[in-house]
Amino acid sequence: IGAPVTLSVKVKNTGTAAWPMVGRPGDGFFQVNLGNHWKDKDGKDVKIDERVAMPNDVAPGSEVERALVVKAPDKEGDYVLELDIVQEGVAWFAQKGSEPIKLKIKVK
């Protein structure tokens, strides 16, 4: 329960625009990060963990590998851990039609 785990995640930009490593000065809008959601068995968000920035701008067709630290929810149960890309101030990629990675996790 609540233990942090580091995942090694490889992501690939399959789109036509580069993913910026740095966002707009002052508020970080438009920066692209890897993040995650924990969802309960009904699909409701339980928590959103920290994000990790890209190591550089990611050009179309390029791949990068990131270490993402996730922390399990503080309550036992069955969850789905979703790994997704977010463009800060715009949207999670799943909200625009991309399919996030979904991992079924039992928290004890």
Side-chain angles (χ1 to χ4, degrees), residues 83-100:
L83 306 179
D84 199 2
I85 304 294
V86 59
Q87 186 169 34
E88 302 299 345
V90 179
W92 289 88
F93 280 28
Q95 294 171 312
K96 299 294 185 179
S98 177
E99 187 62 36

Side-chain angles (χ1 to χ4, degrees), residues 13-81:
N13 181 347
T14 61
T16 58
W19 297 346
M21 175 184 82
V22 177
R24 185 169 67 187
D27 61 15
F29 272 37
F30 311 118
Q31 178 178 353
V32 174
N33 296 314
L34 170 64
N36 71 283
H37 302 267
W38 286 94
K39 296 187 179 275
D40 67 15
K41 63 182 178 183
D42 298 319
K44 294 180 185 172
D45 279 336
V46 175
K47 64 181 276 197
I48 298 174
D49 277 339
E50 295 296 319
R51 292 130 152 92
V52 63
M54 297 295 128
N56 48 264
D57 289 351
V58 181
S62 296
E63 292 182 351
V64 295
E65 193 165 329
R66 303 303 298 143
L68 177 66
V69 177
V70 297
K71 186 177 175 200
D74 294 329
K75 190 175 180 183
E76 288 188 0
D78 293 320
Y79 297 91
V80 173
L81 174 62

